[in-house]
Amino acid sequence: MALLSVKNLEVVFPLRSGLVTAIKDVSFDLEPSERIGIVGESGAGKSISAFAILNLISKPGYLSAGSIVFKGQDLARLGEEEMRQIRGNEISMIFQDPMMTLNPVLTIGTQMEETILAHKNLSRRAARKISVAKLKAVQIPSAETRLAQYPHELSGGMRQRVVIAIALLSDPRIIIADEPTTALDVTIQAEILELLLTLCNDFEVGLILITHDLGVVAQVTQRILVMYAGRIIEQGPTHQVIARPMHPYTQGLLGALPEKTRPGQRLNQIPGVMPSLQEIPDGCPFHNRCDYAQAVCKVDLPALGGKGARAVACHFPLNQ
Ligand code: SF4
């Protein structure tokens, strides 16, 4: 049975110009200890999909349809207090900027201990012991000494390790990581991704990794969901999607990876930009940018469908 089952999620934002749909018909399952990646350009709806799972959509947006079943209960129907328990215990979130999680005026030790004591009836000494163990798990040297330090005394990579340690404090079943390495330089990025992979395996945690970078997803996940203009437009096992993308947008994202470009050559970019949520065209939302578009693409929205583990929303899929 799936650990998390997301069905037909829809999030809307009431704006002065009317109701704007940010994501629609987003459905996926996460199996226990599975690692999935949600990929797409900025504004594709990947972060909103993740935030919706934890009821963290910024106002005035709200979840207008769908269900999010975790351990037999629909998170979409829970009140704020019940959701707070889920967020702190069962499902943890890691943000792009570690300073969104860390309080600059409290030591690392105080922040970790307070997090533990908010959810568990333990002594401060026991909380400190757990904090040290988690700092060691994320390979922070001199863990005991770090407890007395403030976030600004650590490098960006070390801060993100502390954030991951905090995410692990409650032994969650799922970690949602939103662009966890985007703010870091390339070498540190690779170390943090490797660490996430190891921790998910060691602690049997499921991972939902949100990123614009297909290279990052390829390194860490087993399954990919590609989003465009608020919908899932392709999904499948990571190695299959990367080797044989079926949607022209996925093919474009892969072609734009820096490793596909020779030295001195300009990056291959998908022409045009993703339409804003208020201006999504009729038919396939990608048709203005697609080299394979035909007349039907301008009028008929392709449904997400396919065989086995693969699915694509395109009238003329590639690599079938
Ligand atoms: Fe391109 Fe048409 Fe497929 Fe859309 S449906 S991705 S426009 S071929």
Side-chain angles (χ1 to χ4, degrees):
M1 196 176 108
L3 176 60
L4 178 78
S5 187
V6 172
K7 290 260 175 307
N8 303 114
L9 277 199
E10 179 180 291
V11 170
V12 296
F13 284 82
L15 301 182
R16 240 184 259 159
S17 52
L19 215 52
V20 170
T21 305
I23 61 168
K24 192 162 175 65
D25 284 335
V26 170
S27 300
F28 64 90
D29 285 349
L30 178 76
E31 302 300 327
S33 305
E34 189 186 18
R35 301 180 304 278
I36 64 170
I38 307 184
V39 196
E41 291 165 289
S42 171
K46 52 195 194 305
S47 294
I48 291 182
S49 303
F51 289 169
I53 293 170
L54 287 176
N55 195 11
L56 286 175
I57 302 161
S58 48
K59 300 275 178 259
Y62 62 91
L63 188 65
S64 45
S67 61
I68 305 154
V69 176
F70 173 70
K71 285 186 160 179
Q73 57 182 346
D74 185 357
L75 304 187
R77 309 272 171 271
L78 295 188
E80 182 47 31
E81 188 44 45
E82 294 162 302
M83 266 319 288
R84 220 193 313 268
Q85 287 305 316
I86 298 280
R87 280 202 289 270
N89 279 315
E90 308 265 18
I91 307 178
S92 291
M93 183 125 194
I94 299 170
F95 297 96
Q96 175 180 342
D97 179 359
M99 295 312 278
M100 276 182 76
T101 305
L102 299 174
N103 185 331
V105 299
L106 295 178
T107 63
I108 302 299
T110 304
Q111 297 187 55
M112 295 185 80
E113 287 158 30
E114 298 291 327
T115 305
I116 296 167
L117 297 177
H119 295 283
K120 291 187 177 145
N121 190 15
L122 291 173
S123 67
R124 197 161 271 280
R125 196 184 162 139
R128 186 181 167 85
K129 213 169 150 191
I130 295 172
S131 304
V132 171
K134 295 301 186 206
L135 288 180
K136 286 183 176 166
V138 297
Q139 298 157 18
I140 288 189
S142 315
E144 286 88 352
T145 318
R146 301 287 178 180
L147 292 180
Q149 291 188 307
Y150 290 88
H152 73 267
E153 296 179 82
L154 305 178
S155 67
M158 279 295 162
R159 281 201 286 263
Q160 199 56 301
R161 283 175 192 264
V162 171
V163 168
I164 296 172
I166 290 175
L168 290 171
L169 283 174
S170 57
D171 299 320
R173 302 293 313 279
I174 300 172
I175 290 179
I176 300 176
D178 188 15
E179 303 274 10
T181 58
T182 306
L184 304 171
D185 75 42
V186 179
T187 332
I188 309 293
Q189 208 176 68
E191 286 175 17
I192 296 288
L193 291 175
E194 190 57 43
L195 176 68
L196 263 180
L197 185 57
T198 308
L199 293 171
C200 286
N201 281 329
D202 290 356
F203 292 97
E204 297 182 357
V205 182
L207 178 70
I208 300 176
L209 178 66
I210 315 294
T211 177
H212 64 282
D213 188 338
L214 263 174
V216 164
V217 167
Q219 205 176 324
V220 178
T221 67
Q222 296 150 315
R223 203 152 54 86
I224 296 183
L225 314 176
V226 184
M227 290 194 74
Y228 189 82
R231 293 173 183 269
I232 294 174
I233 49 106
E234 178 159 13
Q235 65 185 44
T238 302
H239 62 280
Q240 289 184 22
V241 173
I242 299 245
R244 289 183 297 108
M246 296 174 81
H247 198 286
Y249 177 64
T250 315
Q251 185 189 54
L253 286 180
L254 282 163
L257 288 174
E259 51 268 37
K260 293 276 164 78
T261 311
R262 284 196 227 100
Q265 201 184 30
R266 290 178 67 167
L267 278 181
N268 304 311
Q269 291 198 322
I270 305 171
V273 290
M274 190 165 56
S276 76
L277 295 174
Q278 287 106 313
E279 291 168 345
I280 295 179
D282 288 341
C284 170
F286 188 59
H287 78 250
N288 291 335
R289 305 172 74 187
C290 181
D291 288 341
Y292 307 91
Q294 299 189 31
V296 63
C297 303
K298 296 184 182 167
V299 285
D300 275 357
L301 175 71
L304 182 70
K307 283 189 231 125
R310 298 289 303 267
V312 64
C314 175
H315 293 304
F316 307 102
L318 313 167
N319 293 313
Q320 289 197 86

